[in-house]
Amino acid sequence: MGGLPETVTTFVGRRHELANVREALGGSRLVTLTGPGGVGKTRLALRAASEVRKAFPDGVWFVDLSDHADPALVASVAAGAIGLVDESAHPPLVLLSSHFAHRRALLILDNCEHVLDASATLADHLLRAAPQLHILVTSRQVLSIPAEKSLQVPPLSVPGPDSVQPGDLVLSDAVSLFIDRARGVLSEFVLDQRNAQAVATLCRRLDGLPLAIEMAATRLRGLSPEQIVERLDERYSLLIAGSRVSRPRQSSLQSLFDWSYELCSPSERRLWARASVFSGGFDLEAAEEVCSGEDLPREAVLENVISLVEKSVLVREERDGRVRFRMFETLLEYGRRHLAESSELPLLQARHREYISGFVERAGQAWYSSAEPEWRERIRAALPNIRSALDYCISDPGHANAGLRIAQSLWYGWRVNGMVDEGRRWLQRTLEVAPAKDRGRTLAVLADAALALFQGDDAGAARRLAETVALAHKQNDVRALAYVKLFEGQLAMTRGDMHIAAETLQAALAAQRQVNDPLGTGLTLIRLALALSEIGQLDAARETLDSFRTLGRDRGSDLAEAMTDWARSVLAWQAGDVAAASRFARLAVDRSWSMRELVCLGRAIEVLVWTSAVDSEPERAARLLGSVEAIRSALGQRTFGYDHLTRYGQESAETVRAALGDERFTAYFAAGNTQPAESNVAFALGHPLPRAEISSGVPAVGAGLLSKRETEVAELVAKGMSNKEIAGQLVISRRTAETHVEHILAKLGLASRIQIAAWIRERGGSSPDRCACQGNVAVPAPGGK
């Protein structure tokens, strides 16, 4: 579980710093790496995390805050980065606390200096709520909260003034880095007697700053090391004497960027400055739309982008067949200063805003279609730019209405990407400042009603729907009124008024078909089918569901197929066909998991709980209940919607508990609640329990006595490890390891480490999953209908 960004270049040196980070993580749960921009804090943190990840069995998670300037969004960004979604009424901080409460995990908060207070609050809260969580922070200054261990990240070591021999120079990390990057540019590059002096001088003059060294190495495409040094003499000045303590080293990078900027062609400089209007990167389409002009034709943008990639101004990233580009933070800031000094800033901001507006409107056409998976990913990648555009619109009253259009156009995008809370926040902020009373406001109020309903805020949804009705009638907005009917029908279902729900949804379907809205039609059909089934009109329900499936197939929607399978399982269950319900539910599980569509996955496994309970498979049902709870926890939801179906789950749980007894029920439930998502899905699809999991349904002797960490320590004792070795393996202090061993002996009534080993052998080996600790499984984030 967990994930670290892939690195495309080798990690050079830093052995001493890596050892310091590992030691600090062993003795402190909060470690902050500080230092100037470009010194390599992020790379050091990622490398250290990769080396200690085995000590964190519940995951290593990376949260990049560099593109997020709003302190209010820090917790939301962190929740999204680790795969939690905020579809409940709980704030993101609560979701994070719940997620990490019982996990031994490492959380990396990267680039915190511009949201320092919010980062400190987040870290402090999580450390108090999650006693096994460790946090590694990178920032230009410390968080200044209790228990923080700070480490200053120095520049790379540089050669001494008397070092001139190649054999001596390579002992310097700065020189080693330069050689490594130089060979990436020129495979034949060799450090020899001829260029050794120039390379040594270059690394010293660049102060050992990794980013500066890497940029200098790219100039080998056109210059020798000696010529680069000559250019430094002409274009670059080092920090003045005596200023190293009182002034940051950013000024040396500034000089280097000035030099790099001057080496670019006029069109490359224009693109560098204009591209700085983006946050979090951009693709070629965005660059062509926003950055082109009379002095930079659209057809010339690609050529200039490639040139800036070659000069290390832009970084190329590819994912799922789509290429995006980004700038390092300091390079981005440099470009923004140039843009601010020009007369183009207002024009570029307007173009950026209009591009984002068109982008989210196009995304709205993709829902319930074959393009939906691609647009989900594109929206996730574009979030920093979407946030930036919304911030700009809110800060300027003249553009507030444009912000309203962006926020409301993205209403379903917020939903399927698991950011309901953030979507509502943007909608409410834009509604507060936008003066318009036109259709844009109507749709924004409607969007907030929809998200409130998805979030479980029924009262808020009802208020917003009433407001939408008043606005829509004044404007004769039949499309908005069609959606009002849809959401009124959903609200009636939530309240259990099924006849009213069916009647309202029938009216909504007619209205949606009249305005020819595929998304609205699809959302209405699936709800109407379930409402009709609930009131006993099974034939009409099946016919309605067939219409939903046809619509999905016509649009190539894989999610609609999964939703159809799930709904068919519910209809079969209500008709008394348990075998068909189980068969359709398995199909829905398979389709949902292939898309990592967790809401539909959870719904489908719930049906398998029902069928297992009546098929006299209480052990299977109890474990499936545990896996359902794990998904709910990851989503931060009490239910998966369609609350009228929850009675079947409650009845099944009561039946299973009665059949197993509390102890065995708890054991099987814990197995489902703590196993990896992949294991739970395989089990739901019919595969047997893995050998290492509970086989008898009765907790092993001692399992309820030891904590998860104590069980880990006991296993290492059984392997013959000393307390010092255990401390190194688990990244804890030696004293902490000793304390764990003492607690193990006391809890089990044993007298020696040999007896601990014997206890482990009697259990046939152990795993953290067999301890009494009940954590929740971490699973990927997005969406649902």
Side-chain angles (χ1 to χ4, degrees):
M1 291 184 288
L4 296 175
E6 292 293 332
T7 56
V8 296
T9 55
T10 55
F11 186 86
V12 176
R14 298 287 200 191
R15 289 192 300 272
H16 179 68
E17 290 86 350
L18 283 168
N20 286 343
V21 176
R22 291 195 300 266
E23 181 180 355
L25 285 171
S28 176
R29 292 175 53 222
L30 173 62
V31 177
T32 300
L33 306 183
T34 63
V39 79
K41 300 184 293 295
T42 299
R43 288 293 299 272
L44 178 61
L46 291 173
R47 180 68 174 195
S50 69
E51 292 188 358
V52 302
R53 66 190 313 165
K54 289 184 179 179
F56 299 97
D58 294 317
V60 178
W61 306 94
F62 180 80
V63 180
D64 183 4
L65 297 173
S66 60
D67 295 314
H68 308 292
D70 186 353
L73 293 179
V74 167
S76 179
V77 170
I82 67 172
L84 298 178
V85 297
D86 54 3
E87 300 190 10
S88 72
H90 300 305
L93 192 57
V94 174
L95 296 181
L96 287 163
S97 299
S98 175
H99 176 79
F100 285 118
H102 303 293
R103 284 184 163 88
R104 171 89 178 164
L106 175 63
L107 178 66
I108 303 173
L109 300 178
D110 189 50
N111 289 300
C112 296
E113 57 272 354
H114 58 301
V115 284
L116 198 66
D117 290 343
S119 299
T121 299
L122 173 64
D124 184 65
H125 186 95
L126 291 181
L127 290 172
R128 295 176 188 275
Q132 297 184 86
L133 177 68
H134 284 57
I135 300 178
L136 181 59
V137 173
T138 73
S139 176
R140 295 183 188 179
Q141 62 186 104
V142 296
L143 300 185
S144 296
I145 60 177
E148 181 180 26
K149 170 71 173 179
S150 65
L151 295 177
Q152 179 76 22
V153 180
L156 297 174
S157 61
V158 298
D162 300 326
S163 298
V164 293
Q165 298 300 320
D168 296 331
L169 294 180
V170 295
L171 299 176
S172 155
D173 285 344
V175 172
S176 295
L177 178 65
F178 182 85
I179 294 171
D180 181 84
R181 301 304 189 255
R183 288 174 178 167
V185 175
L186 298 174
S187 59
E188 66 272 21
F189 179 83
V190 174
L191 182 70
D192 54 27
Q193 195 66 48
R194 177 184 56 82
N195 60 26
Q197 182 63 56
V199 171
T201 301
L202 177 66
C203 291
R204 286 195 294 266
R205 297 284 299 276
L206 292 179
D207 237 348
L209 290 169
L211 179 58
I213 291 170
E214 290 180 338
M215 292 183 64
T218 65
R219 307 311 169 196
L220 291 174
R221 290 188 177 95
L223 301 170
S224 68
E226 293 85 352
Q227 289 174 311
I228 294 176
V229 171
E230 292 172 3
R231 297 273 181 140
L232 285 176
D233 289 336
E234 298 170 1
R235 307 292 184 182
Y236 180 85
S237 61
L238 293 173
L239 296 172
I240 61 174
S243 64
R244 292 183 185 268
V245 174
S246 59
R247 295 178 59 193
R249 297 190 180 186
Q250 186 65 40
S251 58
S252 65
L253 287 174
Q254 172 70 46
S255 298
L256 179 59
F257 298 152
D258 285 339
W259 165 59
S260 299
Y261 191 75
E262 291 175 12
L263 288 178
C264 291
S265 68
S267 60
E268 291 166 356
R269 295 178 194 174
R270 281 190 285 271
L271 181 59
W272 182 347
R274 292 174 183 176
S276 69
V277 77
F278 293 107
S279 298
F282 56 92
D283 58 18
L284 180 61
E285 173 193 278
E288 290 173 335
E289 187 74 22
V290 175
C291 301
S292 60
E294 292 183 2
D295 52 359
L296 183 60
R298 189 184 186 95
E299 59 272 16
V301 171
L302 173 58
E303 176 186 348
N304 283 275
V305 165
I306 292 173
S307 296
L308 291 180
V309 170
E310 291 175 346
K311 294 178 177 178
S312 294
V313 175
L314 294 178
V315 176
R316 178 189 184 276
E317 298 175 331
E318 183 172 350
R319 181 174 180 179
D320 296 330
R322 295 193 65 86
V323 174
R324 290 179 60 82
F325 307 94
R326 64 178 177 86
M327 286 187 237
F328 290 112
E329 180 186 359
T330 44
L331 289 167
L332 190 67
E333 291 174 354
Y334 181 88
R336 284 175 177 170
R337 282 194 292 270
H338 273 274
L339 186 61
E341 292 168 359
S342 73
S343 60
E344 293 188 327
L345 180 58
L347 173 64
L348 267 293
Q349 288 175 325
R351 284 184 177 178
H352 180 264
R353 181 197 68 231
E354 290 305 314
Y355 173 76
I356 293 299
S357 180
F359 175 85
V360 297
E361 288 176 3
R362 282 184 289 142
Q365 304 303 313
W367 311 131
Y368 273 133
S369 78
S370 58
E372 179 169 335
E374 174 190 346
W375 276 94
R376 283 194 189 195
E377 178 60 35
R378 292 190 69 180
I379 286 176
R380 285 195 289 271
L383 275 173
N385 282 301
I386 292 170
R387 291 164 175 152
S388 175
L390 286 168
D391 263 330
Y392 169 68
C393 292
I394 291 172
S395 65
D396 186 340
H399 301 295
N401 287 335
L404 202 66
R405 290 196 302 272
I406 293 171
Q408 66 86 8
S409 294
L410 199 58
W411 74 273
Y412 200 67
W414 299 120
R415 162 65 171 168
V416 296
N417 280 298
M419 292 175 291
V420 176
D421 182 72
E422 181 175 342
R424 290 197 70 188
R425 185 183 300 116
W426 286 118
L427 282 163
Q428 289 162 10
R429 289 181 65 190
T430 53
L431 282 167
E432 288 174 0
V433 298
K437 302 295 182 182
D438 59 8
R439 186 170 186 268
R441 185 173 189 85
T442 303
L443 296 180
V445 173
L446 175 63
D448 190 46
L451 296 184
L453 194 57
F454 288 138
Q455 196 179 47
D457 180 8
D458 294 347
R463 287 194 301 272
R464 284 301 199 189
L465 286 174
E467 186 179 350
T468 303
V469 169
L471 292 169
H473 277 305
K474 288 181 181 179
Q475 298 151 5
N476 194 30
D477 191 334
V478 293
R479 181 174 177 273
L481 290 172
Y483 269 96
V484 168
K485 281 294 181 185
L486 160 62
F487 296 132
E488 286 178 342
Q490 183 174 341
L491 198 56
M493 291 181 73
T494 300
R495 292 169 175 165
D497 300 328
M498 288 301 161
H499 285 87
I500 294 176
E503 180 181 343
T504 305
L505 289 167
Q506 289 279 16
L509 180 60
Q512 291 289 349
R513 284 173 168 167
Q514 181 180 354
V515 298
N516 192 28
D517 189 304
L519 174 59
T521 301
L523 292 172
T524 304
L525 283 168
I526 190 75
R527 286 156 177 77
L528 177 58
L530 292 168
L532 290 170
S533 177
E534 187 70 19
I535 61 178
Q537 298 183 22
L538 292 179
D539 289 340
R542 294 188 186 100
E543 182 179 346
T544 302
L545 189 57
D546 286 342
S547 297
F548 172 77
R549 187 179 193 182
T550 299
L551 173 65
R553 287 185 169 180
D554 289 345
R555 291 178 60 80
S557 171
D558 291 335
L559 179 56
E561 286 287 329
M563 290 289 293
T564 298
D565 289 333
W566 165 72
R568 291 171 76 183
S569 75
V570 173
L571 268 59
W573 168 262
Q574 292 178 326
D577 191 343
V578 177
S582 180
R583 183 173 67 256
F584 288 132
R586 284 187 174 92
L587 288 173
V589 167
D590 193 25
R591 292 186 195 275
S592 300
W593 180 245
S594 69
M595 296 178 286
R596 300 302 189 265
E597 209 320 302
L598 299 187
V599 172
C600 190
L601 176 67
R603 291 170 179 161
I605 296 179
E606 278 187 320
V607 176
L608 293 177
V609 171
W610 312 341
T611 62
S612 297
V614 300
D615 278 342
S616 299
E617 295 180 294
E619 296 90 350
R620 174 176 170 80
R623 182 190 159 135
L624 290 172
L625 272 169
S627 65
V628 168
E629 181 59 31
I631 298 173
R632 284 200 192 108
S633 177
L635 290 169
Q637 293 185 208
R638 178 179 54 85
T639 68
F640 299 113
Y642 303 102
D643 287 1
H644 66 286
L645 300 176
T646 57
R647 69 181 188 276
Y648 300 126
Q650 293 168 351
E651 292 168 359
S652 298
E654 292 171 1
T655 299
V656 171
R657 186 181 288 275
L660 294 176
D662 288 344
E663 186 177 25
R664 297 182 71 223
F665 175 87
T666 300
Y668 278 102
F669 183 94
N673 191 232
T674 58
Q675 287 298 312
E678 293 84 354
S679 177
N680 283 333
V681 169
F683 180 74
L685 292 174
H687 299 293
L689 278 167
R691 183 177 62 83
E693 297 181 27
I694 296 175
S695 58
S696 67
V698 180
V701 175
L705 297 177
L706 299 187
S707 68
K708 185 175 182 179
R709 173 39 57 94
E710 288 166 348
T711 304
E712 294 172 347
V713 172
E715 291 175 331
L716 298 179
V717 169
K719 293 179 180 180
M721 288 190 180
S722 66
N723 289 339
K724 181 178 181 181
E725 291 169 332
I726 292 172
Q729 176 72 23
L730 299 180
V731 195
I732 58 178
S733 69
R734 182 172 178 175
R735 178 57 192 150
T736 300
E738 293 172 353
T739 300
H740 282 314
V741 173
E742 292 169 0
H743 287 174
I744 292 167
L745 293 169
K747 286 183 176 182
L748 299 180
L750 303 177
S752 69
R753 299 170 76 91
I754 294 176
Q755 289 179 331
I756 293 175
W759 178 77
I760 289 290
R761 286 195 297 273
E762 288 171 3
R763 297 180 66 202
S766 131
S767 76
D769 299 317
R770 296 182 65 184
C771 72
C773 218
Q774 292 185 24
N776 293 315
V777 64
V779 280
K785 310 298 183 194

